[in-house]
C-alpha cells in the first residue's frame, strides 16, 4: 500500500513559514509520501481575501517550488463555486481511488471550528485528520464543542502508524515547531509599511512587493 498523502487546504493569504513548517514536519511525523497543497478559491468560512485566488495560488507555487514532496492543486482556485473541503475530498477519491490513505492537515484553530464545516462528519469517511499544535490554540477536549469532542475521543489514534492501515476515519495530533505567525499579522505589517521579512519566504515577499499587494488593509 502506498504511503498516506497529506492534503493541506487553506486561504494562504499569504502563505508563510507556519504553513511551510506544518507541511514539512507532517511528512516526517506522520510518515506521509507527500503533501498536496490546495489553496481555497472562495473560502466559505471567512470574508473575501484581499488578493485574488490566482495571486494566492502563485504565492503557494513560489514557496513550494523545489520541494519534491510538495505538489500544488489548483482545482479549488479554478472552480467557480465556494471551496468546500468535502467536495475536494470527493474529487480526490475519484482521482486516487478508495484505498489511498488521505490525511487532511489542519492547525488546531481550524480543527476547533470543524463542526461548522459543510458535511463535516462525511469528511472523516473520506480522510483521516491530523491536527497540528499552534501557539494560542491548544488541542484539548475541553476547548472543542461537544459533538466534535466526542468524535475526537472515539477516533483518536495515539500511534500514527494507523494512518497507513486504513484510508480514512482516524484523528491524530502532532507537535510541530511552534511558530506564532499568521497571515493576519503579515497583512497588518504590510498595510502599515512595516517589514514582514523572515516570516515568509523571500520569493513570496518579492512577489508581494512587485505586485503591490496588501498595501491597504
Ligand atoms: P489568517 O491569519 O488569515 O486567518 P492563517 O495564518 O491562519 O490565516 P490559513 O491559510 O487560514 O492561515 O491557514 C491554513 C492552515 O494552516 C489552517 O489549518 C491553519 O490552522 C494552519 N496554520 C496557519 N498558520 C499556522 C501556524 N503558525 N502554525 C500552525 N498551523 C498554522
Amino acid at each position: 500500500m502506498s504511503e498516506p498523502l497529506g492534503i493541506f487546504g487553506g486561504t494562504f493569504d499569504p502563505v508563510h513559514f507556519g504553513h511551510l513548517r506544518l507541511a514539512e514536519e507532517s511528512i516526517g511525523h506522520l510518515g506521509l509520501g507527500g503533501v498536496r497543497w490546495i489553496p481555497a478559491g472562495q473560502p466559505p468560512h471567512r470574508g473575501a481575501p484581499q488578493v485574488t485566488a490566482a495571486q494566492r495560488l502563485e504565492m503557494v507555487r513560489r514557496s513550494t517550488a523545489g520541494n519534491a514532496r510538495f505538489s500544488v492543486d489548483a482545482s479549488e482556485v479554478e472552480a467557480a463555486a465556494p471551496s468546500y473541503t468535502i467536495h475536494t475530498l470527493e474529487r480526490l477519491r475519484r482521482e486516487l481511488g478508495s484505498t489511498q490513505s488521505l490525511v487532511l492537515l489542519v492547525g488546531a484553530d481550524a480543527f476547533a471550528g470543524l463542526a461548522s464545516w459543510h458535511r463535516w462528519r462525511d469528511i472523516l469517511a473520506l480522510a483521516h485528520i491530523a491536527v497540528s499544535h499552534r501557539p494560542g490554540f491548544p488541542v484539548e477536549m475541553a476547548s472543542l464543542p461537544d459533538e466534535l469532542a466526542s468524535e475526537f475521543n472515539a477516533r483518536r489514534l495515539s500511534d500514527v502508524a494507523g494512518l497507513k492501515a486504513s484510508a480514512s476515519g482516524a484523528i491524530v495530533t502532532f507537535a510541530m515547531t511552534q511558530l506564532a505567525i499568521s497571515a493576519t499579522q503579515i497583512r497588518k505589517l504590510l498595510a502599515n509599511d512595516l517589514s514582514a521579512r523572515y516570516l515568509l519566504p523571500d520569493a513570496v515577499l518579492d512577489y508581494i512587493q512587485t505586485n503591490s499587494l496588501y498595501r491597504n488593509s
Side-chain angles (χ1 to χ4, degrees):
M1 193 190 268
S2 59
E3 290 166 313
L5 175 66
I7 306 297
F8 191 28
T11 310
F12 306 125
D13 183 27
V15 60
H16 54 69
F17 285 133
H19 300 130
L20 285 153
R21 285 304 302 180
L22 186 160
E24 179 74 358
E25 294 189 28
S26 71
I27 291 173
H29 284 313
L30 307 175
L32 306 181
V35 172
R36 194 185 285 210
W37 293 65
I38 311 186
Q42 303 170 34
H45 296 284
R46 52 190 290 154
Q50 288 191 14
V51 306
T52 68
Q55 288 169 327
R56 290 183 289 103
L57 172 68
E58 180 59 23
M59 291 189 278
V60 169
R61 285 214 163 108
R62 287 176 186 230
S63 66
T64 56
N67 187 327
R69 300 244 187 196
F70 289 167
S71 60
V72 180
D73 183 329
S75 58
E76 287 193 7
V77 168
E78 286 163 1
S83 305
Y84 290 114
T85 300
I86 186 67
H87 296 154
T88 296
L89 292 173
E90 286 170 342
R91 179 180 57 77
L92 290 174
R93 279 281 165 227
R94 286 194 293 275
E95 181 192 331
L96 302 169
S98 58
T99 56
Q100 168 68 54
S101 171
L102 297 178
V103 183
L104 187 67
L105 304 173
V106 293
D109 57 312
F111 181 68
L114 186 77
S116 69
W117 292 19
H118 185 49
R119 293 172 48 202
W120 71 276
R121 289 178 195 277
D122 294 344
I123 289 174
L124 281 156
L126 295 176
H128 302 297
I129 296 181
V131 188
S132 77
H133 295 192
R134 183 174 185 180
F137 301 95
V139 195
E140 283 169 9
M141 297 281 285
S143 59
L144 301 176
D146 288 350
E147 52 186 350
L148 183 57
S150 59
E151 288 291 337
F152 186 44
N153 205 18
R155 294 172 177 274
R156 188 170 191 181
L157 286 185
S158 51
D159 183 355
V160 298
L163 296 175
K164 197 172 177 179
S166 62
S168 61
I171 301 175
V172 297
T173 63
F174 68 103
M176 59 171 282
T177 304
Q178 294 294 276
L179 296 168
I181 303 173
S182 70
T184 303
Q185 170 203 15
I186 292 170
R187 291 193 302 272
K188 276 191 194 144
L189 289 170
L190 295 170
N192 289 304
D193 217 9
L194 292 168
S195 170
R197 201 169 174 200
Y198 310 127
L199 297 173
L200 70 177
D202 286 346
V204 176
L205 200 51
D206 288 348
Y207 181 83
I208 288 171
Q209 283 163 353
T210 303
N211 293 283
S212 305
L213 306 182
Y214 305 113
R215 286 270 174 87
N216 306 301
S217 59

